[in-house]
Structures are given as C-alpha cells and as structure tokens.
Amino acid sequence: MRAIFLDFGSVTRGDMDCATLERAIAPWQFYHDSSEAEVAERIRDAEVIVSNKVFIGRAAIATAKQLKLICVAATGYNNVDLAAAAEYGVPVCNVRGYATPSVVEHVFMLMLNLARHFSDYQALVKRGGWQQSQFFCPLDFPVIELSGKTLGIIGHGELGHAVAQVGQAFGMQVLIADHKGKPPRAGRTAFDGVLRQADFVTLHCPLSAETQHLMSQREFALMKPTAYLINTARGGLVNEADLLQSLSSGQIAGAAIDVIQGEPPGQDNAILRTLPPNLIVTPHIAWASRESRQRLLDQLAGNIEHFFQNKPFNQVTDAIGGT
C-alpha cells in the first residue's frame, strides 16, 4: 500500500473530491479513524501517511520500513514525533493558509451574533415573543453596530491580517497587538493597550509555552466591561475558569469561542456544563467549510507531488534535524 490516510473522517462527510490525491500517488487506503494502537500495523508498508490528529510516534515510525513522507492534514504538527521522524530520515510536511476565508467568515459570524443577539432574537420568535409584542419591533436585547468599534487583533499572521482587512471594511478601527510584555513596534499597539481599548478582542496566535493561558484573569480585568472576546485559534490560549468568572461577574460583556481545551470535550467540561447566556460556543468548525476542506486535500496532494519531484513543499523544518 503506497499511501494511507489515518483519519479521513475528520476532513470529509462524503463531500470531498480525492482526484488530486489519487493523481499524486496511488493506491490509497482511507481509514475513517485510527486509534493510536492501530497506527503501527496500518502504516507498516506505506510510503506516504497522512494524519490530521492521529498521533504518529516513534514506535510506529520505526516499524514503517517503506515510509518516505509524513503529511499532516493541518497546520499544527504536534501529533508527530518530529525527533523520531528526523532520526529515521522521514520528512514531515503540513498544510498552510487553506482555511483563511472560512475562519475569517466564522470570526465575523460570531462577532455579529454577539453584537446583534441573533440567537436570542431567533429564540424569541420561535417562542412567540414577536407575535405577542406590543410594538412592531421587540427590543428585548441590545443591538450594537460593528462600525465605529475598535477591533483588537492578537496574532497578525495570515489569519490576523485577513481579519483586519474585513474589520476595516466594516468600518472598525483596527489595533494590532504586539507581543505580551514587549514594547510596541511600528504599526503595533502594546498588548495591554489593545485590551484596554478594544471593543472586540480576537485571537489568532499559535499555542505555545509562551501563549498558554494568554488570556487569564489579569487580561480580562484590563478589558472594558462592554468588550467581547473571540477565540477561533486554540483553546489553551484562554484560561477557561477565568473566562467563566469574568462572564458571570460582568467583567466582560461576552465571548464567542470555537475551541476549548481537550477536544472533543468530556461531559464534565466546565465551559459546556455551565454555558452562560453571554457565551457562544461552536464545535471547532471555523475552518470546516467545504471549500476549505477541499483546499486542504489539494494542498496535501501538491505536497506529495512536489516531494516525489524533488521540488519545494511545505516541509516542517524541525523534522529534518532543526535545519
């Protein structure tokens, strides 16, 4: 078997075109999902393996004697033992920039839902509140405009830059935060200054030791009581206990998140168990438009083609011994 996709079910609901993958290499074995215990046996004879979130560890890599390339079907690649891949001479690649339109649209969907109480008004209509209203327009929930508001962006890579452009199109004042605790560079605003001024704070930075719980009680205390937090990046960027406390106390007006710590969440997850009325949660679907998932597969195919043609591809540098 030349190519294995270990968790194809994580990127398709039967709506993907695999033609580009099949042109890049054949034949394929598409597994809906794979447990960690199944990985070694499944990849034993593979030349190329693809994984979205299934962990590929040292023991599995060691048994795959034909393995030439590991492809991660995501931008983050912490599900691969990079040191082991480097030791066995197997390059690792990822996909980049495929989900930008999808994520940006989701950010503003969340922002508009918070600003206009869309879900609350929809629920009001369903329970007959409009029909029973004294006036033509029930004003049960406050509605604000994005125009004229200040948008604070933490993380100004491709996604942060795209969010800034759309924010400006809405008529928002955009502030780009510099690194926490660092003096601001030209065109940036100090991290704490962004929190103090922004009406909406949106996170677009990677999760690392430095950004773990980037938003905790101290940061929420800096925000205006009318401000909102948006997180479509990584759950670990936010201290969830502190977020819940800040929402319940009115320290911030609300939040909308697409990610939490530990996904899929357990039944005891505090965020989902509590789910206060000023918090919107979506199940990590900001990236998941059909177009985005197709771009992901097409970019995977391009990586594989370029690898076998000795052309540049999205190689993760750490996977080749840190060069």
Side-chain angles (χ1 to χ4, degrees):
M1 184 58 61
R2 294 198 70 198
I4 303 287
F5 203 130
L6 289 169
D7 51 351
F8 191 51
S10 67
V11 300
T12 184
R13 54 189 300 270
D15 55 348
M16 292 291 95
D17 182 353
C18 295
T20 56
L21 285 174
E22 291 164 349
R23 284 196 297 269
I25 189 172
W28 278 88
Q29 176 66 58
F30 294 96
Y31 292 103
H32 182 74
D33 196 12
S34 300
S35 70
E36 192 171 334
E38 293 171 321
V39 171
E41 181 60 33
R42 288 183 172 181
I43 72 171
R44 183 180 301 277
D45 299 316
E47 293 180 60
V48 175
I49 57 176
V50 180
S51 171
N52 186 346
K53 296 294 183 287
V54 174
F55 183 70
I56 302 171
R58 175 176 294 275
I61 294 171
T63 64
K65 303 301 184 183
Q66 308 301 316
L67 188 58
K68 295 181 173 66
L69 179 67
I70 297 173
C71 300
V72 180
T75 302
Y77 44 85
N78 59 334
N79 60 319
V80 178
D81 186 330
L82 297 182
E87 181 180 323
Y88 285 92
V90 180
V92 179
C93 62
N94 66 351
V95 288
R96 307 168 190 175
Y98 63 95
T100 300
S102 184
V103 173
V104 171
E105 290 176 15
H106 199 87
V107 166
F108 282 91
M109 180 198 72
L110 295 175
M111 209 177 297
L112 287 164
N113 268 273
L114 289 170
R116 308 197 71 89
H117 282 269
F118 170 83
S119 299
D120 292 323
Y121 276 112
Q122 186 180 45
L124 180 146
V125 171
K126 286 184 176 180
R127 66 173 180 264
W130 192 13
Q131 301 88 314
Q132 299 165 13
S133 175
Q134 181 180 359
F135 300 107
F136 76 99
C137 170
L139 299 174
D140 293 46
F141 306 99
V143 173
I144 63 172
E145 298 174 352
L146 298 188
S147 179
K149 300 299 186 296
T150 298
L151 174 61
I153 298 177
I154 299 176
H156 197 235
E158 178 170 337
L159 281 170
H161 181 73
V163 167
Q165 290 181 313
V166 176
Q168 289 167 342
F170 269 102
M172 304 182 82
Q173 177 189 358
V174 175
L175 299 178
I176 309 300
D178 213 318
H179 294 291
K180 189 175 182 178
K182 303 290 186 181
R185 295 164 286 175
R188 304 289 180 100
T189 301
F191 182 88
D192 287 0
V194 168
L195 296 182
R196 290 189 178 99
Q197 297 176 64
D199 299 296
F200 292 87
V201 173
T202 181
L203 307 181
H204 299 288
C205 46
L207 180 62
S208 66
E210 291 73 30
T211 60
Q212 177 77 24
H213 289 180
L214 183 72
M215 297 296 296
S216 295
Q217 184 56 45
R218 173 191 171 276
E219 288 70 39
F220 293 127
L222 294 174
M223 294 171 65
K224 297 188 288 189
T226 54
Y228 298 92
L229 174 72
I230 311 290
N231 185 17
T232 56
R234 290 291 183 266
L237 296 173
V238 177
N239 183 311
E240 293 177 353
D242 289 354
L243 173 62
L244 287 173
Q245 194 280 328
S246 297
L247 291 169
S248 65
S249 68
Q251 194 161 56
I252 62 173
I257 60 175
D258 186 54
V259 287
I260 60 176
Q261 296 183 61
E263 297 173 348
Q267 296 296 329
D268 60 346
N269 179 272
I271 287 278
L272 300 184
R273 191 176 65 249
T274 307
L275 206 58
N278 54 348
L279 174 64
I280 297 172
V281 179
T282 53
H284 205 141
I285 55 166
W287 72 282
S289 69
R290 184 188 62 78
E291 295 87 348
S292 171
R293 290 179 286 118
Q294 188 64 57
R295 285 191 294 267
L296 180 150
L297 294 186
D298 293 345
Q299 193 176 136
L300 282 172
N303 282 339
I304 295 168
E305 283 185 343
H306 287 182
F307 169 75
F308 282 108
Q309 294 168 4
N310 293 314
K311 295 179 180 179
F313 61 102
N314 290 346
Q315 188 160 355
V316 178
T317 53
D318 299 71
I320 54 172
T323 60

